[in-house]
Amino acid sequence: MAASCVALVACDPQVPDSAAGIGDDTSPFNAPPEVEPGLTLNGDPLVPAGRLGDETTANWQDPRPSAGAQPGSDDIAREAAAAIAASGQNSGRQPIEASPSNPAPAVIGNPGLSDENDFAAVASRQTIESDAERLQRQRAQYQIVSPTDVPDRPQDLSPNIVRYALSTSNPRGQRVYSRTGLNLQARSQRNCAAYESPDLAQVAFLEEGGPKRDRLALDPDGDGYACGWDPAPLRAAVRAQSQ
């Protein structure tokens, strides 16, 4: 019986402990995974994040600093150099770095801008004598144009209501000419509504034989003024101008 037990123990394979090796650096499970050549993320090579059994995840991680980490001076310098290189490639011109040691930009003059108010600029090319000569030439070119009378209007144009107003003396509403017909007031109101202003009505009234004749029924009271047109403001304006 004892011999049978020994034979069974010798034939039983050894089962390794499932907990053995966890946390032990010598365990084959904790060996760092091999890095696959050429594996990158956004152009940067990836490195293993940790080993099995660690508290960190055994996935690939980005070697760049996380969003919460503060970049160092080397990172800032590298990013600045990359930005300058990229801007130079986009525009085709090397950008100018701001620095107190840079020379001041050259001032380019505008030939179309006058510098007559710049005393230093004028004094460099003008003298008292030359300025006096230039002033004399300008005075010689100066001309005074005297006003002249307004030319007379051609007789074939519309009647001149200003001239007509000055040729009359009766006030508005004073009968001077006789008017006959039925419903003159009603016809006058209807016909006057066709004109935009009393001035236009007065012109039409004079063109059709007014003030003696009122063919358009625009002057029912016979004062010589159509549709309530009043010559008084024109007369007052002429009097004020002559004073």
Side-chain angles (χ1 to χ4, degrees), residues 73-98:
S73 58
D74 295 340
D75 298 332
I76 296 176
R78 183 168 58 255
E79 293 177 359
I84 294 175
S87 62
Q89 294 175 0
N90 294 334
S91 62
R93 298 177 59 183
Q94 185 67 22
I96 299 176
E97 298 183 8

Side-chain angles (χ1 to χ4, degrees), residues 150-161 163:
V150 178
D152 295 336
R153 292 168 55 91
Q155 298 299 325
D156 56 347
L157 297 179
S158 300
N160 191 331
I161 59 176
R163 183 178 298 174

Side-chain angles (χ1 to χ4, degrees), residues 186-201:
R187 290 174 55 196
S188 177
Q189 291 180 1
R190 183 175 62 254
N191 295 342
C192 287
Y195 299 95
E196 295 181 357
S197 65
D199 291 345
L200 296 178

